[in-house]
Amino acid sequence: MAMVQAERAANEARFLAEAAAQAATEEAKQRSAEAEEERKRTIAVQEQAKKDAQAAQEQARKLEETANEEKRKAVAAQESANASKKAAEEEVKVANIAKEKAERELKEGIQPVVTPTRQEVLAAKRKVQYREDLFHFAVAGVAGGGKSSLINAFRGLRNKDIGSAATGVTETTLTMARYGNASAEYPYVWYDIPGAGTLKIPDWQYFNAQGLYVFDCIIILFDNRFTMTDIAILSNCRRFKIPTYIVRSKADQHIRNVMKDMGYDSDDDESEDQKKKLYQTARQQFIQQTRQSVKDNLENANIPDQRVYIISNETMLSVVKEKRPKKVIDEIDLLNDLIGEAQIRRARRDEADTTTKDKESM
């Protein structure tokens, strides 16, 4: 009986030990599982922390790049602003210099240079009915200089002839007038330009206002004195490379005035020889004074010296009509030089046309 109880007690003890061992094993497994789970959570947390750190670093890098780019843009913008400011300051400086120069020149009587646009040139050519097969002479100058009478003489007409340009004591040309040449041998067109001082045209605007930049040759006619208008025309013609001829008209009248200043009286009974001698003296004095006056005016305006042609319209008419007037000064030279100018122009134009045709045929 005792043995049975002992065995039973031993079995119970063994059972309890096995149960305790099993419980301990289960608890250990659970603890192990929990530890593994904690390890996994720790690893996940570490990995997330690593990813977050990498993301933060990437974000920091991007922010740094953005900041550097903004800084570069700011520097570039500042440099551009500085360059623009410098350019603006330079433009203001140039504008102020130009303004001061313009104001100074205006005070000194020097007028601004105005260049016509392409549209203005085309419009001026349409206005004068410009043709490539014709040579276009413009006779310009101050009002009352005898432009209309000179054109009549060039065309072989007297002032009262049919088709002649209107003439008068006062300025009769208020709009530009166009006159063809009577002889087909000379394909010229003459233009009677309104005199400076008419139509309220200032001297310095006269050249552009009349569209003189489209003509092939310009005759600058003056009567009593060489004016700033004449200087302005000459200066502009040099800019546009337009041939110019300075002409002083009414030589016969001026010489008679010089003779009177020298004491000549038509009512006095003087010998023909005395009159001729006085005439020659007055003529020479008038020619010398005119040439010197024009030379001085050109020199003062910084324009190269050029010849002044001294003529009278009546004598010019005789020359055109192939007569032999006795009191010739520069009429023959002027006519020959104008014809020569036109012939040179025609030769150049024909040469250009031939060259163009040769190129087209190749």
Side-chain angles (χ1 to χ4, degrees), residues 60-324:
R61 184 184 65 79
K62 290 182 178 179
L63 289 173
E64 184 178 4
E65 289 179 352
T66 301
N68 290 336
E69 180 65 18
E70 291 299 323
K71 180 180 179 181
R72 186 190 67 77
K73 289 181 179 179
V75 171
Q78 184 62 45
E79 291 176 350
S80 177
N82 291 338
S84 299
K85 179 182 178 182
K86 185 177 180 180
E89 290 174 347
E90 188 64 25
E91 289 179 0
V92 170
K93 182 180 178 181
V94 171
N96 287 335
I97 291 173
K99 179 183 177 182
E100 291 173 359
K101 180 181 178 182
E103 290 175 348
R104 183 176 65 255
E105 289 182 344
L106 284 172
K107 289 180 180 179
E108 295 173 354
I110 303 173
Q111 303 298 343
V113 174
V114 181
T115 301
T117 64
R118 182 175 180 274
Q119 290 73 17
E120 288 173 333
V121 172
L122 293 175
K125 285 191 171 184
R126 287 193 297 269
K127 180 181 178 182
V128 304
Q129 303 173 50
Y130 190 95
R131 286 172 43 184
E132 292 297 333
D133 60 332
L134 298 176
F135 195 85
H136 308 77
F137 288 101
V139 182
V142 295
K147 299 184 298 297
S148 301
S149 296
L150 180 59
I151 288 176
N152 289 336
F154 280 138
R155 298 171 65 224
L157 300 174
R158 295 187 177 278
N159 289 341
K160 300 301 181 181
D161 288 348
I162 297 175
S164 64
T167 59
V169 177
T170 58
E171 178 66 25
T172 55
T173 305
L174 298 179
T175 58
M176 185 183 300
R178 184 179 189 272
Y179 300 97
N181 215 56
S183 174
E185 181 183 357
Y186 302 109
Y188 308 151
V189 184
W190 303 91
Y191 292 83
D192 196 347
I193 309 299
T198 62
L199 305 179
K200 298 182 179 179
I201 300 174
D203 292 346
W204 66 277
Q205 292 180 347
Y206 182 76
F207 187 90
N208 281 42
Q210 299 302 324
L212 298 184
Y213 41 78
V214 301
F215 289 99
D216 299 312
C217 179
I218 296 179
I219 298 170
I220 301 170
L221 188 69
F222 71 102
D223 177 12
N224 290 310
R225 56 192 179 88
F226 204 58
T227 68
M228 289 305 297
T229 300
D230 305 319
I231 292 294
I233 294 174
L234 284 169
S235 298
N236 281 287
C237 284
R238 284 175 57 79
R239 288 175 54 220
F240 288 91
K241 295 181 172 55
I242 300 173
T244 56
Y245 290 82
I246 302 173
V247 178
R248 184 167 193 184
S249 62
K250 305 180 182 179
D252 47 354
Q253 297 180 21
H254 291 301
I255 292 172
R256 283 197 298 269
N257 291 336
V258 174
M259 290 175 66
K260 290 179 180 179
D261 291 341
M262 297 173 69
Y264 172 72
D265 188 343
S266 59
D267 294 332
D268 290 345
D269 293 330
E270 294 182 357
S271 66
E272 195 64 29
D273 288 341
Q274 287 178 319
K275 289 181 181 179
K276 287 182 179 180
K277 185 177 180 180
L278 187 62
Y279 172 82
Q280 289 299 328
T281 302
R283 178 182 184 275
Q284 190 62 30
Q285 179 179 318
F286 169 69
I287 292 173
Q288 289 178 349
Q289 289 177 345
T290 298
R291 297 198 193 288
Q292 188 62 47
S293 174
V294 172
K295 181 178 180 180
D296 292 342
N297 276 272
L298 293 176
E299 184 177 347
N300 291 336
N302 293 319
I303 297 176
D305 190 22
Q306 69 180 80
R307 179 177 180 178
V308 54
Y309 296 83
I310 302 171
I311 68 166
S312 67
N313 295 336
E314 188 68 29
T315 304
M316 178 59 75
L317 177 61
S318 298
V319 171
V320 171
K321 287 181 171 292
E322 298 183 352
K323 296 181 180 180
R324 295 184 178 180

